[in-house]
Amino acid sequence: MGGPLQGLKVVELSAMGPAPHAAMMLADMGAQVVRVVGPAPPVGGYDVGTHLQRGRTTVRANLKDPDDLAGVLGLVASADVFLEGYRPGTTERLGLGPVECLALNPRLVYGRMTGWGQDGPLARHAGHDINYMALTGALHAIGPAGRPVPPMNLVGDFGGGSMFVLTGILAALWERERSGLGQVVDAAMVDGISVLSQIILELRSVNMWNDTRAANLLDGAAPFYRTYETSDGGHVAVGAIEPQFYALLIDGLGLSLAELPDREDPRQWPALEEILTAAFAARNRDDWADVFDGTDACVTPVLTYAEAAENTHIAARGALSGSGRHVVAAPAPRFSRTAPVAREPQGETDFESILSSWRAS
């Protein structure tokens, strides 16, 4: 087992979305993570054997059964981290709330992952990634002028969710080294998405961003920061913000800077976009990839997930492995001495076997 978190013991209450994603990363980095799942496979396939469940041991438990609940509490008593992703009040009703768990194990870091947070008017209401993004302003800013477009669930569930509960857990573990005490980490997607939006909020504060969609530097309005369709129906991504990179873009397209509309004047962006659109439409995606390969023009082909796994740079890094529909991500980030390892799911076991293993480690 590799990774810098070797020896860390984690109890994960099986859930959907960001909590298991955070648990996967903890396991990748070497933590001993035990997933507590219900007695029957849950709806949606979030069970043993999926890539998202890699690296963890699974124990089945009916949390309404006193013996099974006692088994989970036995794990909690020996754990460093407890991670749950239920609506507020759920673990309290099950007898696994922060009060019970921290009384049993004062050094425990209790991670709570929700969309709305543990308090506030919406705390106990249902929601999904798209809803949490909607109330933060982030969803309104993404997409073409006609309507907002959800960026899958990357911004809410994982960017604003699992990354923040993971950060909170690691910060609380560091603080525990000084205080000797654990604490509760309240990670809410609405909070995390808002932090991710800080640079946009900063730009708004100095009148460099407005709330009109597709009208700003980084939202597809600027002709030098957007995607273009190629002759084969593919696309290329252009990020030539700096003047020196823009000059290389124009040179690669066979155009003349002196003959183009002024890119510094947003009023001329539509005319410039029309010219660049026509230029990129003249050749296919992979031709343009060859033209700009090895340059600093900031032009890259837009790849599918299957194609990404075959890309020379992604392959050299080993960031993705597999092909077609069976592509998985390697652990990240990387460490110079304690390399993370993506291990297969460790199968099912029982409470006593887990505790024996933990006592021996």
Side-chain angles (χ1 to χ4, degrees):
M1 183 189 302
L5 297 182
Q6 292 182 58
L8 190 74
K9 300 176 179 65
V10 180
V11 176
E12 170 202 358
L13 282 193
S14 178
M16 296 179 67
H21 185 254
M24 179 196 78
M25 294 188 67
L26 290 169
D28 284 349
M29 290 188 280
Q32 300 173 50
V33 183
V34 176
R35 293 179 62 234
V36 178
V37 304
V43 175
Y46 280 76
D47 202 6
V48 181
T50 69
H51 295 305
L52 194 60
Q53 313 310 339
R54 69 191 186 198
R56 278 109 87 198
T57 300
T58 297
V59 61
R60 293 195 179 274
N62 178 359
L63 297 179
K64 296 181 180 179
D65 180 282
D67 291 337
D68 283 359
L69 178 60
V72 176
L73 288 171
L75 296 180
V76 168
S78 299
D80 297 292
V81 176
F82 183 88
L83 176 61
E84 61 100 352
Y86 298 154
R87 288 198 211 185
T90 301
T91 56
E92 284 84 349
R93 290 193 299 273
L94 293 169
L96 287 169
V99 173
E100 295 88 350
C101 291
L102 287 167
L104 190 63
N105 180 357
R107 289 176 53 83
L108 183 72
V109 173
Y110 193 109
R112 315 197 79 169
M113 181 71 255
T114 62
W116 303 119
Q118 296 298 313
D119 52 28
L122 295 176
R124 294 179 182 271
H125 289 265
H128 278 294
D129 178 284
I130 192 171
N131 307 118
Y132 313 134
M133 286 189 64
L135 287 200
T136 64
L139 182 60
H140 180 274
I142 299 173
R147 66 184 176 92
V149 175
M152 300 190 289
N153 61 341
L154 301 180
V155 174
D157 277 348
F158 305 122
S162 55
M163 295 298 101
F164 279 83
V165 74
L166 186 64
T167 300
I169 286 169
L170 297 178
L173 288 169
W174 170 254
E175 192 278 337
R176 189 181 72 173
E177 293 301 301
R178 298 191 300 278
S179 68
L181 297 173
Q183 59 183 304
V184 178
V185 177
D186 173 6
M189 287 180 232
V190 290
D191 300 345
I193 295 166
S194 296
V195 174
L196 293 177
S197 299
Q198 182 57 38
I199 183 61
I200 305 303
L201 298 173
E202 180 69 16
L203 290 172
R204 288 182 77 255
S205 73
V206 292
N207 296 318
M208 293 180 64
W209 191 278
N210 65 70
D211 287 335
T212 300
R213 202 165 36 258
N216 298 282
L217 176 64
L218 302 176
D219 62 2
F224 44 86
Y225 197 88
R226 53 158 292 170
T227 60
Y228 288 94
E229 187 171 358
T230 54
S231 64
D232 57 346
H235 292 83
V236 294
V238 175
I241 296 178
E242 292 80 0
Q244 66 272 28
F245 302 154
Y246 179 70
L248 293 171
L249 164 69
I250 299 306
D251 182 64
L253 290 172
L255 301 173
S256 169
L257 277 173
E259 297 174 359
L260 294 176
D262 181 9
R263 78 172 206 144
E264 301 301 324
D265 183 357
R267 293 171 299 180
Q268 299 194 45
W269 283 358
L272 179 56
E273 177 188 327
E274 184 175 345
I275 295 170
L276 298 188
T277 297
F280 276 112
R283 303 177 71 168
N284 68 42
R285 185 196 69 179
D286 293 343
D287 282 346
W288 286 122
D290 290 339
V291 167
F292 290 105
D293 184 38
T295 77
D296 281 341
C298 301
V299 178
T300 51
V302 177
L303 304 180
T304 66
Y305 281 121
E307 291 173 322
E310 305 297 328
N311 176 262
T312 54
H313 182 80
I314 300 299
R317 290 283 295 174
L320 295 173
S321 62
S323 61
R325 302 192 66 82
H326 300 283
V327 174
V328 297
R334 304 178 186 203
F335 298 84
S336 61
R337 291 187 297 103
T338 54
V341 176
R343 295 169 293 131
E344 293 296 317
Q346 302 299 291
E348 293 189 31
T349 188
D350 55 75
F351 293 113
E352 189 53 43
S353 297
I354 296 166
L355 286 172
S356 296
S357 172
W358 281 7
R359 294 187 190 109
S361 63

